[in-house]
Amino acid sequence: MKADDFLKGRGAQFNPANPYLKQEYVQDHLEGLDEPMVSNSKTEFLKEHPKKVVNKVDSPDLGLGYSLNPYQGCEHGCVYCYARNTHQYWGYGAGLDFERKIIIKENAAQTLAKQLESPNWQVMPIMLAGNTDCYQPIEAKKKLTRTVLEVLLQYRHPVSIITKNALILRDLDLLEELNKYDLVHVSISITTLDEELRQKLEPRTASAAKRLALVKKLSEAGIPVNVMTAPIIPGLNDSEIPALIQAAAAAGASSAAYTLVRLNGSIGPIFEDWIKEAFPDRAQKVLNQIADCHGGQLNDSRFGVRMHGEGQFAALIANLFRMSKQKYMAGRSMKPYNYTHFCQRKGKQLGLF
């Protein structure tokens, strides 16, 4: 496939084989096909009603907390997204399926309320969009994230949100109410200031300018905002670290953090296919530097190492980030959560809806 033939608005250009399925579609005899093997079909939305929507996170890299994702799959199409592999658990592909088969958990708010009523519930921040973006385009219509925030406000429960979408401003009223009780942290992910790179790397996300405006708006409202300059991809956006931190600081961000790209599972072949077409002149250099950061492999599952890597390039990135943060964000920090406001409402959760 030529770069000019990229499927418009999509990051991945194919579906790698799902390791959990016995069968797969292949194109062994191209001359026998009278239509394209892969086409840019419309996004499908599939409804689910899970019995549980909050999962406990006990990763030593992330600390204790919970994760809640109203949607599975993400239309933003970020080619590097680590969440792609989780789509395979549902029987779909980590490539195009992840971007155009979106699972909607319609009962997310109601199920959350029931879980919060558990006598064994331990209060810790719930991360919204730890896997897929809770403010991806379908949220404008479904409003699942908004109803989840309404429940969290009712229960006075702490929440952490990470997004790339300016749609979060629709819920500024709820964020301001949560902030009155020190119950909310927001992270805005900004991977690059280069709009041409952003359009290839994250085809359906908001521009960096819109995300910085979002940081400014939230910060002016007094809401703690962290900017995630993530993932850092050696040879693509690592040189932008100082400019990203400076722009985040100028917009009023309270903090900044980063992770180093790692291409686990099916993400490896998806990313390799993408970069060889999008940036053929430097594809091998980028892949080699990514591998150099992860012990010679594109993937990395080692706790304590995987998020920031190791080796020469990883050390250079870490030092550049540290110095940039010292220069532009010295003395800034996210204010702590307040866990004392949590209030269970036994027998009343159905009255919330």
Side-chain angles (χ1 to χ4, degrees), residues 242-272:
L244 284 165
I245 302 300
Q246 183 179 20
S254 301
S255 182
Y258 83 98
T259 58
L260 195 64
V261 71
R262 55 193 179 94
L263 306 174
N264 288 11
S266 295
I267 307 167
I270 291 171
F271 186 89
E272 285 191 67

Side-chain angles (χ1 to χ4, degrees), residues 65-66 116 120-126 155-158 183 338-344:
Y66 302 101
L116 293 179
N120 298 320
W121 185 261
Q122 182 182 0
V123 181
M124 294 181 291
I126 293 177
Y155 282 82
R156 303 293 191 263
H157 196 285
L183 295 174
N338 187 329
Y339 300 109
T340 64
H341 297 298
F342 178 65
C343 179
Q344 288 180 315

